[in-house]
């Protein structure tokens, strides 16, 4: 974590030095998509690119109509996703904040903060560090932080309770669902996942920024520093975000253990079938293979179509019915480390199941314990 924070701080300093060399007068650019000019002050310089050869997917009249009806206070939370067209039309609204919550599996060898800083992100998006904004008292990866830690981190990002939030990631729908779930756990329901994420945004020909402003880098670093201070018992700074913990949306190992006998909830595992069956090794060392007794497997990609957007409700229902899962009974979801389990929760939310708990420790916790029962299908 120290090296991660250092790299962010150093890059922030480089950006500050770079911006100081720019002209003091605002730089004027032409936004080719909406044919209007915008200015960039020297202190927050960034470069904007637009995918070439892509026609507009949203006529001006439609954009005006969507924007005129905008309000995150009135936008329905019944559906957990918004389209890239909707976000493009409302991107500049003052009560909307966009979060890049990209995170990747260790074997993918991708650096999300580096891609945010140097490759591409949606204009104005803040970086939400899934690994950084997490519990500092456990060795398990990116576990849910304390209420105080979460409030301090998102306040450092400049997020307020009044804000509507759209979360996206670099794969389509992946880690963004985890951050959607985190905000809901802490009582913030005005949060949506961008359907199809950054890949669909770019495929639609919408602008991206290829470098981050010094302000955005400093906020990302400040968020990590703030949560670190909380866990060290220090004061993190003024809070702009107040939490209201929703304990029914997160389960512990003991709750999952009891559910094996009590069977109050249908346990759905989002990992791949080979990992669930115990036929494939776990990606992390020291973790047994297999699954929690009584659980069923629906790999998270089954919630998505080929373009990595969330399936319509009728298709989602088919996926659950095919695995013998009743939509009339409660659910519990898990995965490897509590990330893709949230994609199952996202799909169930579209079906009106808004109170689905996620087992935060998931298989990385369960499979590492010596006294937890494990089933295999081999």
């Amino acid at each position: 974590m120290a090296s991660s924070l250092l790299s962010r701080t150093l890059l922030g300093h480089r950006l500050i030095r770079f911006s100081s060399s720019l002209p003091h007068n605002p730089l004027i650019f032409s936004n080719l998509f909406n044919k209007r000019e915008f200015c960039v002050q020297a202190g927050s310089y960034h470069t904007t690119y637009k995918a070439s050869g892509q026609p507009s997917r949203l006529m001006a009249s439609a954009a005006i109509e969507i924007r005129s009806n905008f309000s995150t206070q009135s936008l329905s939370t019944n559906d957990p996703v918004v389209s890239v067209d909707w976000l493009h039309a409302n991107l500049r609204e003052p009560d909307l904040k966009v979060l890049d919550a990209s995170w990747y599996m260790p074997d993918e060898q991708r650096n999300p903060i580096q891609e945010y800083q140097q490759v591409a992100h949606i204009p104005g998006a803040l970086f939400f560090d899934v690994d950084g904004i997490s519990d500092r008292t456990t060795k398990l990866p990116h576990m849910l932080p304390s209420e105080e830690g979460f409030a301090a981190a998102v306040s450092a990002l400049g997020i307020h309770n009044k804000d509507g939030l759209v979360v996206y990631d670099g794969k389509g729908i992946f880690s963004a669902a985890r951050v959607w779930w985190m905000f809901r756990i802490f009582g913030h329901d005005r949060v949506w996942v961008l359907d199809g994420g950054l890949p669909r945004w770019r495929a639609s020909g919408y602008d991206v920024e290829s470098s981050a402003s010094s302000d955005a880098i400093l906020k990302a670093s400040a968020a990590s520093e703030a949560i670190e201070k909380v866990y060290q018992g220090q004061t993190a700074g003024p809070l702009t975000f107040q939490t209201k913990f929703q304990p029914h949306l997160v389960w512990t190992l003991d709750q999952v253990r009891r559910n094996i006998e009590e069977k109050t909830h249908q346990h759905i595992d989002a990992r791949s079938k080979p990992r669930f069956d115990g036929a494939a090794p776990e990606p992390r060392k020291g973790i047994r293979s297999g699954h929690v007794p009584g659980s069923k497997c629906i790999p998270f990609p089954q919630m998505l179509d080929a373009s990595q957007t969330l399936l319509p409700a009728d298709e989602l229902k088919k996926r659950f019915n095919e695995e013998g899962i009743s939509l009339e009974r409660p659910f519990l979801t898990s995965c490897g480390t509590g990330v893709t389990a949230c994609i199952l929760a996202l799909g169930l939310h579209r079906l009106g199941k808004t109170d689905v708990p996620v087992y935060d420790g998931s298989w990385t916790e369960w499979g590492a314990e010596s006294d937890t029962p494990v089933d295999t299908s081999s």
Side-chain angles (χ1 to χ4, degrees), residues 349-371:
H349 193 105
R350 171 164 273 183
L351 297 179
K353 312 302 178 181
T354 60
D355 57 352
V356 176
V358 169
Y359 170 27
D360 197 22
S362 280
W363 192 253
T364 298
E365 180 180 41
W366 189 273
E369 295 290 324
S370 61
D371 64 341

Side-chain angles (χ1 to χ4, degrees), residues 82-101:
V82 294
S83 70
V84 295
D85 293 340
W86 184 93
L87 179 59
H88 180 265
N90 297 289
L91 189 60
R92 305 299 179 184
E93 295 298 331
D95 63 343
L96 178 69
K97 286 187 171 67
V98 181
L99 304 179
D100 184 326

Side-chain angles (χ1 to χ4, degrees), residues 189-200:
D189 288 333
R190 292 192 303 281
V191 56
W192 299 265
V193 170
L194 182 63
D195 211 8
L198 185 61
R200 190 167 182 87

Side-chain angles (χ1 to χ4, degrees), residues 10-20 211-214 217:
L10 290 176
L11 183 52
H13 290 164
R14 287 199 296 271
L15 284 170
I16 293 170
R17 288 199 298 270
F18 172 67
S19 64
S20 65
S211 59
S213 69
S214 57
I217 298 301

Side-chain angles (χ1 to χ4, degrees), residues 221-235:
S221 296
S224 290
E225 292 172 358
I227 195 168
E228 190 68 38
K229 285 183 177 180
V230 168
Y231 278 95
Q232 292 175 353
Q234 303 174 20
T235 301

Side-chain angles (χ1 to χ4, degrees), residues 240-270:
T240 61
F241 186 92
Q242 303 294 328
T243 60
K244 187 177 181 181
F245 187 55
Q246 308 294 310
H248 65 285
L249 293 178
V250 58
W251 270 30
T252 64
L253 184 147
D254 287 339
Q255 287 174 293
V256 176
R257 193 194 297 269
R258 288 198 300 271
N259 190 64
I260 295 174
E261 299 298 329
E262 298 173 359
K263 296 181 174 60
T264 58
H265 288 62
Q266 301 169 97
H267 187 161
I268 314 173
D269 192 322

